[in-house]
Amino acid sequence: MITVLLDAGHGGMINGEYQTSGKRSPEWEDGSVLYEGEFNRAIKYRLKERLQEMGIPFVDVNPGDTDISLQNRCNLANEYSNSLYVSIHANAGGGTGCEVFTAENCSNKSMQMAMFVADEYKKRFSERWRGIKKKDFYVVKHTKMPAVLIECFFMDTEKECKSYLMTRDGREAITEWILHSIIKYVKWQS
């Protein structure tokens, strides 16, 4: 069976200190702030629970809250054969919607996973689908297995941040979107 390699981009919170400079929403009028690494980890932890329930093996390639280097994440991931790498992020730049990235010269398997991500998104959300894009982000370029990097809504767009990224229901919807994309891929590879 395929092993899912989960990567929550950036660092988390340690003793109330965010571990990655930048990578946060603006401070909203109500004083709230989204820290991307915290969001990414919340989705990853929920995915781990759901994958365990489904009996799908997984490895956390960025455990804990320290911001582990991209090279170390890839080195750990590259120890696994018959695997799928999924990197979880929140987007920024003032846009809307979600998108998925593969490497410029990705495998057909990476592209298939990206298509599953797109299909599941369109079933679950009415917000803008930004597309399947190719960019040589370190973790999709330097891993030896099929790999995708998923950008989940915009943390600097208040409506998306507060509706999806900062709410329990929003986070659960994002988890289910990614989970069902993974399930489709695992079934496709069986």
Side-chain angles (χ1 to χ4, degrees):
M1 181 172 269
I2 288 172
T3 300
V4 180
L5 307 173
L6 295 171
D7 171 29
H10 314 298
M13 301 289 276
I14 298 176
N15 299 323
E17 296 277 328
Y18 186 45
Q19 300 300 301
T20 304
S21 63
K23 304 298 181 184
R24 66 191 76 199
S25 74
E27 183 174 332
W28 303 116
E29 202 170 291
D30 63 4
S32 62
V33 175
L34 175 92
Y35 296 93
E36 183 185 0
E38 179 279 324
F39 163 78
N40 299 341
R41 277 167 175 67
I43 300 300
K44 177 187 71 175
Y45 293 137
R46 186 66 181 120
L47 277 169
K48 287 167 59 172
E49 290 172 356
R50 295 289 285 126
L51 289 168
Q52 188 167 14
E53 289 169 11
M54 306 287 298
I56 298 172
F58 61 86
V59 173
D60 186 343
V61 299
N62 190 10
D65 290 314
T66 304
D67 197 353
I68 297 172
S69 77
L70 299 175
Q71 181 179 3
N72 285 346
R73 293 179 213 180
C74 291
N75 288 345
L76 175 58
N78 287 334
E79 293 177 12
Y80 292 87
S81 59
N82 196 28
S83 55
L84 168 68
Y85 192 99
V86 178
S87 188
I88 304 157
H89 293 263
N91 217 337
T96 59
C98 298
E99 58 200 339
V100 63
F101 288 88
T102 64
E104 291 284 346
N105 294 314
C106 72
S107 67
N108 289 337
K109 290 181 179 181
S110 292
M111 185 54 67
Q112 185 61 57
M113 177 57 185
M115 288 190 284
F116 290 143
V117 170
D119 291 345
E120 284 299 314
Y121 180 85
K122 292 171 188 174
K123 286 181 188 175
R124 296 164 186 279
F125 299 99
S126 59
E127 288 75 8
R128 179 179 175 205
W129 174 246
R130 300 175 60 85
I132 298 170
K133 300 180 179 179
K134 292 189 174 195
K135 187 170 182 179
D136 282 337
F137 288 116
Y138 194 94
V139 296
V140 294
K141 182 177 181 181
H142 295 283
T143 46
K144 295 177 182 175
M145 69 290 302
V148 294
L149 186 149
I150 302 171
E151 292 280 8
C152 305
F153 299 105
F154 279 73
M155 64 184 149
D156 56 356
T157 299
E158 187 171 10
K159 181 180 178 193
E160 289 192 355
C161 187
K162 288 189 164 186
S163 296
Y164 290 105
L165 305 178
M166 295 179 86
T167 68
R168 181 182 180 140
D169 287 347
R171 289 179 175 198
E172 190 63 23
I174 291 166
T175 298
E176 290 299 307
W177 159 42
I178 296 171
L179 173 69
H180 286 276
S181 303
I182 291 168
I183 290 169
K184 274 188 168 179
Y185 182 88
V186 168
K187 286 181 179 176
W188 177 70
Q189 283 296 279
S190 296

Short mmCIF file of all heavy atoms in Angstrom, two decimals, residues 91-96 130 154 156-157:
data_model
loop_
_atom_site.label_atom_id
_atom_site.label_comp_id
_atom_site.label_asym_id
_atom_site.label_seq_id
_atom_site.Cartn_x
_atom_site.Cartn_y
_atom_site.Cartn_z
N ASN A 91 -2.40 30.13 1.38
CA ASN A 91 -1.88 31.04 0.37
C ASN A 91 -1.82 32.48 0.89
O ASN A 91 -2.42 32.80 1.92
CB ASN A 91 -2.74 30.96 -0.89
CG ASN A 91 -1.93 31.06 -2.17
OD1 ASN A 91 -0.83 31.60 -2.18
ND2 ASN A 91 -2.49 30.53 -3.24
N ALA A 92 -1.13 33.34 0.16
CA ALA A 92 -1.06 34.77 0.47
C ALA A 92 -0.82 35.52 -0.82
O ALA A 92 -0.35 34.96 -1.80
CB ALA A 92 0.04 35.06 1.48
N GLY A 93 -1.12 36.80 -0.80
CA GLY A 93 -0.91 37.63 -1.99
C GLY A 93 -2.16 38.36 -2.40
O GLY A 93 -2.22 38.95 -3.48
N GLY A 94 -3.20 38.30 -1.56
CA GLY A 94 -4.40 39.07 -1.82
C GLY A 94 -5.37 38.47 -2.81
O GLY A 94 -6.26 39.15 -3.29
N GLY A 95 -5.25 37.18 -3.10
CA GLY A 95 -6.15 36.54 -4.05
C GLY A 95 -7.30 35.84 -3.36
O GLY A 95 -7.60 36.08 -2.19
N THR A 96 -7.91 34.93 -4.10
CA THR A 96 -8.99 34.11 -3.57
C THR A 96 -8.87 32.70 -4.12
O THR A 96 -8.30 32.48 -5.19
CB THR A 96 -10.38 34.67 -3.96
OG1 THR A 96 -10.49 34.70 -5.38
CG2 THR A 96 -10.61 36.05 -3.38
N ARG A 130 -8.13 27.95 -8.62
CA ARG A 130 -7.05 28.67 -9.29
C ARG A 130 -6.26 27.80 -10.25
O ARG A 130 -5.47 28.30 -11.03
CB ARG A 130 -6.14 29.29 -8.25
CG ARG A 130 -6.87 30.28 -7.35
CD ARG A 130 -6.00 30.80 -6.25
NE ARG A 130 -4.84 31.50 -6.75
CZ ARG A 130 -4.81 32.78 -7.10
NH1 ARG A 130 -5.92 33.51 -7.00
NH2 ARG A 130 -3.71 33.32 -7.55
N PHE A 154 -6.66 31.98 1.01
CA PHE A 154 -5.73 33.09 1.22
C PHE A 154 -5.84 33.62 2.64
O PHE A 154 -6.88 34.11 3.05
CB PHE A 154 -6.01 34.20 0.20
CG PHE A 154 -5.39 33.93 -1.13
CD1 PHE A 154 -5.92 32.97 -1.97
CD2 PHE A 154 -4.25 34.62 -1.54
CE1 PHE A 154 -5.34 32.71 -3.20
CE2 PHE A 154 -3.67 34.36 -2.77
CZ PHE A 154 -4.21 33.40 -3.60
N ASP A 156 -4.47 36.24 3.74
CA ASP A 156 -4.53 37.70 3.78
C ASP A 156 -5.79 38.26 3.12
O ASP A 156 -5.90 39.45 2.88
CB ASP A 156 -3.26 38.33 3.21
CG ASP A 156 -2.95 37.87 1.79
OD1 ASP A 156 -3.67 36.99 1.26
OD2 ASP A 156 -1.97 38.38 1.22
N THR A 157 -6.74 37.38 2.82
CA THR A 157 -8.07 37.78 2.36
C THR A 157 -9.02 37.46 3.52
O THR A 157 -9.24 36.29 3.84
CB THR A 157 -8.46 37.03 1.07
OG1 THR A 157 -7.51 37.37 0.05
CG2 THR A 157 -9.86 37.40 0.62
#
